Amino acid sequence: LAYRYAEDKVDPPLPRIPCQPVSYGTAKELLRRMSGKEAPVSWKGALNTDYRLGPGFTDTGLKVELNVTNKNERAMVENVFGIIRGAIEPDRYVLIGNHRDAWIYGALDPSSGTAVMMEIARVMGEMVTQGKWKPRRSIIFCSWGAEEYGLIGSDEWVEQYVATLRERAVVYINVDTAVRGNDTLRVGAAPLLYNIAYEASRKVENPNPEEVKAGRKTVFDTWQFVTRGSKEELPRVSGLGSGSDYAPLLQRAGITAMDAGYVFDHRKYRLPSYPLYHTEYETFDIVKTQHDRNFEISAALSRFMAEVARNVADSLILPFDLDGYTKGLKSIKAALDSSTYGLKLKAMLDNYGKLDEVIAGFGTDITNFRKGLEKIDKNNPYAVRQVNDQILLLEKAFLISEGLPTRPNKKHILFAENSNDAYAESTFPGLIDLLFKIDYAPDAVERWERVKRHFSAILHTIQSAGATLRDVASFMSEEL
């Protein structure tokens, strides 16, 4: 059914510069022989050698032959799904996903995550077949293909079924590299899921005996200690960029999402990722002997993610943290205020202060809705369905149909990846895209007009999102 562009018609064009991975040793030998001017500081890496721009080499007559083994071919991508049909609301979906494909052996990325998802499916499946349990809502296990090629499997699936997903999908729970380290839990999530992550982590025993000896008996305790250092604050939850399959589900279909895994303690190891990431050394032996010797880390993460899924699938009223969204909006606004972009916006937009007003109004809508929840007749299935639909659609209310100004496939006004770093999250991403180096842009005047239009869209979208939680007759009573 899909229309295919000819390869020479793709915009932006496909890369045409040959690329071939080489070893550390080969790279060092090539770089240390380079001639020419010294490279700028921002171009220099960590190898113990000078960095020069070339062209050519200091060794007269030296030639390098590069054999590129990459090949361009069309292949079939397959997604595989397993479904536990809900007993009461089968048309409401709790999605749990992991990708199958790997750069090389992939024992950590993604197979450690695959093992976690398959274990959850095994346990839940056995409980269902034995008649011990059946979820209120359907649980769908998603095994994605071609994630490493740009989230192709999940992206295409969302694109094909976006109308159904926007109406029926409740949450997406992602596990990619389940065991990047063995120190602590890491969670990235939309604000609606913060409380669910905290509750689940408090119920899971700490898999690290040394942590238990130190008095940190649960997964929550170590997570809090590593990310905050005290019991005064709740553990830190990261944002969601575009590093895995949650991206299209959150950013295109508006499905509130979570991504979780075990990681190393970043206070001890100043590393962007685990050293074996995407290398041929990611083998089962490394997992078994170094990362997760008794597979207790994998078991703890399985229990955590299973409890997150069970909570959402079974709760009569969806257990989302509505107040968390108000706090999240205030935090995003505070971060914007303190940035150089915020200073520019204050100087250029007459209605910048309106953002505080609509966030405050959104908070009022949340408070009033929660008060209403306390009064509903929980024995009335129609009343329960009504409020659950309002909660379900809240995340989706932050989508704009036209997409972000420079990235129309990204629909969420609050969350997307940083356009300069796909793994890092960016809040108010449409604004950040437009403001990037705006002072040096030849079209700065026109771009500021686009900033003003998009800022207005943000105001209206937040206000509209709050309106989805109001009574039937009162959602049109406010003007902006």
Side-chain angles (χ1 to χ4, degrees), residues 390 467 469-475:
Q390 288 176 284
L469 300 176
R470 298 177 198 166
D471 291 337
V472 174
S474 63
F475 75 97

Side-chain angles (χ1 to χ4, degrees), residues 155-468:
D155 234 317
E156 294 292 327
W157 187 71
V158 169
E159 194 171 271
Q160 184 170 355
Y161 297 108
V162 65
T164 301
L165 293 170
R166 284 186 180 177
E167 292 297 320
R168 300 181 182 180
V170 178
V171 67
Y172 175 63
I173 304 162
N174 189 68
V175 55
D176 191 329
T177 310
V179 186
R180 301 179 190 179
N182 46 32
D183 288 323
T184 184
L185 178 70
R186 174 202 169 275
V187 175
L192 288 175
L193 302 179
Y194 287 9
N195 65 325
I196 297 174
Y198 296 145
E199 290 172 14
S201 64
R202 286 188 174 104
K203 294 180 180 180
V204 181
E205 293 181 2
N206 201 321
N208 189 327
E210 296 302 316
E211 287 293 297
V212 175
K213 288 180 183 178
R216 293 182 281 275
K217 297 181 179 180
T218 68
V219 168
F220 175 91
D221 295 334
T222 296
W223 182 23
Q224 181 183 52
F225 177 73
V226 171
T227 60
R228 297 300 190 188
S230 72
K231 296 183 179 180
E232 304 303 317
E233 296 181 85
L234 290 168
R236 182 179 181 273
V237 179
S238 303
L240 294 173
S242 185
S244 194
D245 292 296
Y246 54 77
L249 288 108
L250 173 64
Q251 297 167 6
R252 299 188 70 169
I255 304 167
T256 195
M258 175 187 295
D259 179 67
Y262 250 76
V263 297
F264 52 84
D265 188 342
H266 287 269
R267 300 173 306 171
K268 299 178 183 177
Y269 311 104
R270 301 292 183 178
L271 300 170
S273 185
Y274 60 94
L276 304 182
Y277 181 56
H278 285 175
T279 71
E280 64 181 337
Y281 302 105
E282 274 198 41
T283 63
F284 177 78
D285 185 63
I286 285 294
V287 179
K288 185 178 181 181
T289 61
Q290 300 294 327
H291 282 253
D292 194 5
R293 292 175 183 172
N294 297 313
F295 298 101
E296 292 294 337
I297 301 296
S298 298
L301 186 65
S302 300
R303 295 180 185 114
F304 167 78
M305 302 196 77
E307 173 56 19
V308 170
R310 186 216 58 79
N311 189 3
V312 180
D314 279 349
S315 295
L316 180 66
I317 305 296
L318 289 173
F320 291 167
D321 187 4
L322 299 176
D323 288 319
Y325 229 120
T326 306
K327 296 174 185 175
L329 283 170
K330 290 179 179 178
S331 176
I332 292 169
K333 172 57 164 54
L336 183 63
D337 284 344
S338 61
S339 70
T340 55
Y341 293 137
L343 296 175
K344 292 179 185 296
L345 290 168
K346 289 177 186 176
M348 295 295 291
L349 303 186
D350 294 336
N351 60 343
Y352 185 71
K354 286 287 185 179
L355 186 53
D356 286 318
E357 292 183 27
V358 296
I359 291 174
F362 179 86
T364 300
D365 289 326
I366 292 287
T367 300
N368 292 338
F369 182 77
R370 281 197 302 100
K371 291 177 180 178
L373 280 179
E374 297 171 1
K375 301 175 183 178
I376 72 162
D377 179 4
K378 294 183 179 179
N379 294 315
N380 181 344
Y382 299 105
V384 170
R385 181 75 167 199
Q386 176 184 322
V387 296
N388 275 338
D389 281 352
Q390 288 176 284
I391 297 170
L392 166 70
L393 294 172
L394 180 60
E395 189 79 67
K396 299 168 177 62
F398 288 97
L399 302 180
I400 51 176
S401 59
E402 67 273 21
L404 302 182
T406 63
R407 293 183 279 172
N409 283 335
K410 307 293 182 180
K411 309 291 185 182
H412 205 297
I413 65 160
L414 300 178
F415 305 118
E417 71 276 15
N418 186 309
S419 57
N420 297 307
D421 181 356
Y423 289 94
E425 72 274 9
S426 178
T427 50
F428 292 128
L431 285 180
I432 303 305
D433 289 348
L434 291 171
L435 290 169
F436 183 66
K437 293 187 176 180
I438 193 170
D439 293 339
Y440 309 101
D443 61 341
V445 174
E446 191 277 331
R447 203 193 289 187
W448 269 113
E449 289 303 309
R450 296 177 71 190
V451 169
K452 293 174 183 178
R453 289 198 300 271
H454 186 62
F455 187 78
S456 179
I458 289 173
L459 297 178
H460 284 287
T461 302
I462 295 173
Q463 185 188 65
S464 178
T468 65

Side-chain angles (χ1 to χ4, degrees), residues 49-100:
T49 184
D50 292 333
Y51 284 80
R52 298 189 176 278
L53 300 176
F57 297 97
T58 56
D59 296 6
T60 305
L62 178 64
K63 294 182 179 180
V64 176
E65 180 179 308
L66 177 65
N67 295 310
V68 179
T69 58
N70 296 330
K71 55 184 178 181
N72 187 13
E73 64 180 27
R74 182 174 295 171
M76 179 69 72
V77 173
E78 294 183 332
N79 298 320
V80 180
F81 302 95
I83 302 173
I84 298 176
R85 185 178 175 84
I88 299 173
E89 296 183 75
D91 62 333
R92 293 294 180 260
Y93 310 146
V94 174
L95 306 168
I96 306 175
N98 163 267
H99 70 92
R100 281 191 321 284

